[in-house]
Amino acid sequence: MTRNLPSYWHGWSPDGRKFAYCGIRDDLFDIYTIDMEGWEECRLTFGEGRNDGPDYSPDGCWIYFNSSRSGLMQIWRVPAEGGAAERITESAYGDWFPHPSPNGDRIIFLSYDPEVFDHPRDKPVRIRIMDSDGGNAETLVELFGGQGTMNSPNWSPDGSAFAYVRYFPVNTSG
């Protein structure tokens, strides 16, 4: 995809021509796209906090992502061709990995308790849903999970369901 490392794939454009990913360049964690024909990176964020988890809207106009630019990790979006980012969540949680529904009206995302830094595994988390333009989020499920619960696109094509990974603690004490 790119020779610039490290890079972490998260989504692709609806027309299948571009990938969205986050990458670390000069110690900054930012959002990039790359055209599959020209293979040139297009940088969409510029070092304002840590930027991660990009996913395209189904119309290809927006890229949703999570960023710590406001302090706590929150959900943002940026025009897919570049421009100013706008904040979507203003929650008391650390919000990660937004995924727009196939019709574009809602996004689901993972929320950690506010004292949790980063997106570790083996934590209590919530999967929440809200309108794609923002507003109040509803908790769909609380579970034990974290890293890997829903890092990549996960909606069914018809938008009636989505996939996620739930962890089960294992007692290894004998």
Side-chain angles (χ1 to χ4, degrees):
M1 192 163 77
T2 178
R3 295 182 189 275
N4 299 322
L5 302 174
S7 297
Y8 306 93
W9 174 84
H10 280 275
W12 57 84
S13 63
D15 64 8
R17 294 182 179 172
K18 293 183 180 184
F19 288 111
Y21 57 98
C22 54
I24 302 172
R25 313 286 183 267
D26 301 318
D27 295 322
L28 301 174
F29 214 104
D30 280 310
I31 304 300
Y32 296 84
T33 59
I34 196 165
D35 189 299
M36 294 181 57
E37 291 186 21
W39 299 104
E40 293 294 321
E41 282 189 336
C42 175
R43 187 174 185 174
L44 297 178
T45 60
F46 296 89
E48 300 170 272
R50 179 179 176 177
N51 302 287
D52 197 354
D55 197 3
Y56 277 89
S57 62
D59 62 6
C61 293
W62 294 100
I63 294 180
Y64 288 83
F65 65 101
N66 45 273
S67 178
S68 65
R69 64 184 62 204
S70 60
L72 189 60
M73 193 61 79
Q74 297 288 283
I75 305 302
W76 293 71
R77 68 181 181 182
V78 64
E81 300 303 319
E86 46 183 77
R87 187 173 173 178
I88 302 298
T89 60
E90 293 191 33
S91 100
Y93 299 110
D95 297 328
W96 287 79
F97 306 121
H99 301 295
S101 62
N103 69 3
D105 67 342
R106 300 171 295 162
I107 57 172
I108 56 170
F109 53 95
L110 190 68
S111 295
Y112 285 88
D113 288 338
E115 65 275 3
V116 175
F117 178 76
D118 209 0
H119 55 91
R121 61 186 176 94
D122 300 333
K123 296 288 181 185
V125 293
R126 294 157 191 80
I127 296 176
R128 302 191 318 141
I129 191 167
M130 68 185 307
D131 290 342
S132 59
D133 291 328
N136 292 326
E138 173 189 351
T139 298
L140 298 176
V141 63
E142 295 184 22
L143 60 129
F144 187 66
Q147 171 64 14
T149 293
M150 51 180 261
N151 294 36
S152 57
N154 57 344
W155 283 94
S156 65
D158 68 359
S160 65
F162 59 88
Y164 63 93
V165 175
R166 168 179 260 160
Y167 303 170
F168 292 96
V170 176
N171 183 352
T172 59
S173 62

